[in-house]
């Protein structure tokens, strides 16, 4: 793996701190990978490559770095995904090592996924290895070079040696579809605005809503069997910001919080968290930004606590 990666680097540089493993090598037999530092007179960049095979029972966008991540999660990414002839897919992203900021060490990566579900992910970090530099210098290798490395046929032998993923056991119930969650959440949004950046999956929906006064992220998270997990967490002890907690007549616990995002940055998050006696949970939040770690984009979140409460207590979230 290291030899192949070295052979795909531009001539004229030097390599240090190289390590790697092949298919089936090493304790735990993790994914084949190679990692090194590449240096020239212009500086250094950390480069690593990882080979994986997708699990056909899991959506591809939930397996590693394939596809562009939602803006609600990575607000400062510059990402493109395109289909290639033959059914392969290529994603290229310019980002930062710390995703909650648009400053600091730059992280660029290219992910090539074959039509058969094999994936090559190549990433580099400006200034050296991951988290080893704090400056904002661009990585040495261009995105075109990262793409050539990811698409190189030299990885084919290692990709062919990857074991087939284990069959995942069938699971029933316990999740609400993203389509159902989206319908319920949209029903509680103010009229006249626009929805963008919809990210919906089983149990979770995120979107960005703009009512003309700035973009606001809104999220609904629906879970089951959460009584034991949330024991001691439905009160306000130790909760930063403004917090109120109460128990309804039927035993349903409701916690309401207004405070700064836990992901850093200046954004404010308003949250209503509902835990039913049977363990079902709905947490609905709204942010005065398009992402929790993004810049403030409006005076306050688009849903106030009354709107969040009405949304979180809507039992239609459990209709599949």
């Amino acid at each position: 793996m290291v030899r192949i990666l070295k052979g795909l680097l531009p001539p004229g540089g030097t390599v240090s701190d190289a390590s790697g493993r092949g298919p089936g090598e090493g304790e735990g037999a993790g994914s084949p990978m190679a990692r090194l530092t590449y240096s020239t007179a212009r500086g250094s960049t950390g480069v690593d490559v990882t080979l994986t095979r997708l699990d056909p029972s899991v959506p591809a966008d939930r397996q590693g770095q394939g596809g562009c991540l939602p803006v609600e999660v990575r607000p400062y990414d510059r990402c493109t995904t395109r289909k290639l002839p033959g059914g392969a897919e290529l994603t290229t992203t310019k980002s930062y090592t710390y995703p909650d900021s648009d400053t600091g060490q730059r992280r660029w990566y290219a992910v090539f996924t074959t039509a058969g579900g094999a994936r090559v992910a190549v990433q580099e970090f400006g200034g050296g290895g991951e988290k080893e530099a704090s400056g904002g210098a661009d990585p040495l290798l261009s995105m075109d070079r990262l793409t050539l490395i990811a698409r190189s046929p030299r990885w084919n032998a290692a990709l062919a040696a990857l074991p087939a993923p284990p069959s995942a056991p069938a699971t029933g119930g316990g999740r609400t579809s993203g389509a159902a969650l989206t319908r319920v959440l949209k029903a509680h949004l103010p009229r006249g605005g626009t929805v963008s950046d919809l990210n919906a999956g089983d149990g979770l929906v995120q979107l960005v809503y703009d009512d003309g006064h700035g973009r606001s992220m809104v999220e609904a998270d629906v879970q089951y069997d959460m009584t034991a997990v949330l024991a001691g967490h439905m009160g306000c002890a130790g909760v930063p910001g403004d917090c109120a907690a109460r128990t309804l007549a039927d035993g349903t616990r409701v916690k309401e919080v207004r405070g700064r995002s836990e992901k850093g940055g200046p954004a404010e998050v308003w949250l209503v968290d509902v835990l039913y006696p049977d363990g079902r949970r709905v947490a609905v939040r709204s942010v005065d930004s398009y992402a929790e770690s993004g810049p403030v984009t409006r005076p306050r979140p688009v849903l106030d606590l009354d709107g969040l409460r009405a949304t979180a207590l809507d039992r239609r979230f459990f209709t599949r």
Side-chain angles (χ1 to χ4, degrees):
M1 291 292 294
V2 171
R3 185 173 62 253
I4 295 172
L5 180 56
K6 284 182 177 180
L8 295 171
L9 296 173
T14 60
V15 170
S16 60
D17 301 320
S19 62
R21 63 170 175 260
E25 294 179 356
E27 185 177 354
S31 298
M33 56 78 62
R35 179 182 296 116
L36 52 80
T37 299
Y38 175 77
S39 303
T40 70
R42 296 191 294 120
S44 298
T45 194
V47 186
D48 66 61
V49 58
T50 303
L51 311 185
T52 55
R53 185 177 299 283
L54 300 187
D55 185 337
S57 67
V58 179
D61 60 1
R62 297 188 189 178
Q63 301 184 63
Q65 304 176 95
C68 293
L69 295 173
V71 69
E72 295 93 336
V73 178
R74 304 291 298 232
Y76 301 109
D77 279 10
R78 293 163 54 198
C79 177
T80 59
T81 295
R82 58 190 176 98
K83 296 291 185 181
L84 303 176
E89 182 178 272
L90 176 69
T91 297
T92 56
T93 305
K94 292 185 176 181
S95 185
Y96 297 85
T97 300
Y98 295 97
D100 58 355
S101 173
D102 60 351
T103 60
Q105 187 183 40
R106 296 177 185 269
R107 170 181 176 246
W108 293 0
Y109 58 93
V111 181
F112 175 66
T113 305
T114 71
R119 175 170 286 174
V120 182
V122 185
Q123 62 179 346
E124 63 171 328
F125 299 89
E130 182 178 7
K131 300 180 182 178
E132 292 179 0
S134 58
D138 284 347
L140 294 182
L141 305 184
S142 68
M143 192 61 74
D144 286 342
R145 173 64 67 168
L146 289 183
T147 298
L148 287 173
I149 294 173
R151 297 185 64 179
S152 172
R154 298 186 192 181
W155 304 115
N156 288 350
L159 290 172
L162 291 174
S167 299
T171 58
R175 305 297 283 177
T176 305
S177 73
L181 293 183
T182 301
R183 287 194 299 270
V184 179
L185 183 59
K186 283 184 174 181
H188 288 275
L189 296 174
R191 295 180 179 274
T194 58
V195 171
S196 64
D197 299 292
L198 176 63
N199 172 39
D202 290 353
L204 177 70
V205 58
Q206 299 169 315
L207 55 81
V208 175
Y209 186 80
D210 192 343
D211 60 357
H213 300 286
R215 293 181 292 168
S216 178
M217 170 185 156
V218 186
E219 173 187 287
D221 191 359
V222 177
Q223 300 169 332
Y224 293 77
D225 302 318
M226 295 297 291
T227 301
V229 177
L230 293 178
H233 295 282
M234 288 304 292
C236 290
V239 176
D242 297 328
C243 179
R246 59 195 173 101
T247 302
L248 305 183
D250 65 354
T252 298
R253 304 192 66 179
V254 179
K255 182 169 74 173
E256 303 174 357
V257 181
R258 295 189 301 177
R260 287 291 180 88
S261 169
E262 296 178 353
K263 298 183 179 181
E268 183 154 319
V269 180
W270 293 4
L271 163 75
V272 173
D273 201 345
V274 172
L275 178 64
Y276 291 98
D278 61 4
R280 294 179 298 174
R281 179 199 190 189
V282 181
V284 183
R285 71 190 68 214
S286 186
V287 189
D288 60 355
S289 172
Y290 58 87
E292 280 200 44
S293 56
V296 173
T297 51
R298 55 180 294 117
R300 61 185 60 83
V302 70
L303 288 182
D304 59 16
L305 287 179
D306 288 339
L308 290 169
R309 189 184 312 112
T311 306
L313 288 169
D314 191 333
R315 292 178 181 264
R316 289 180 296 172
F317 277 122
F318 304 106
T319 302
R320 299 186 184 90

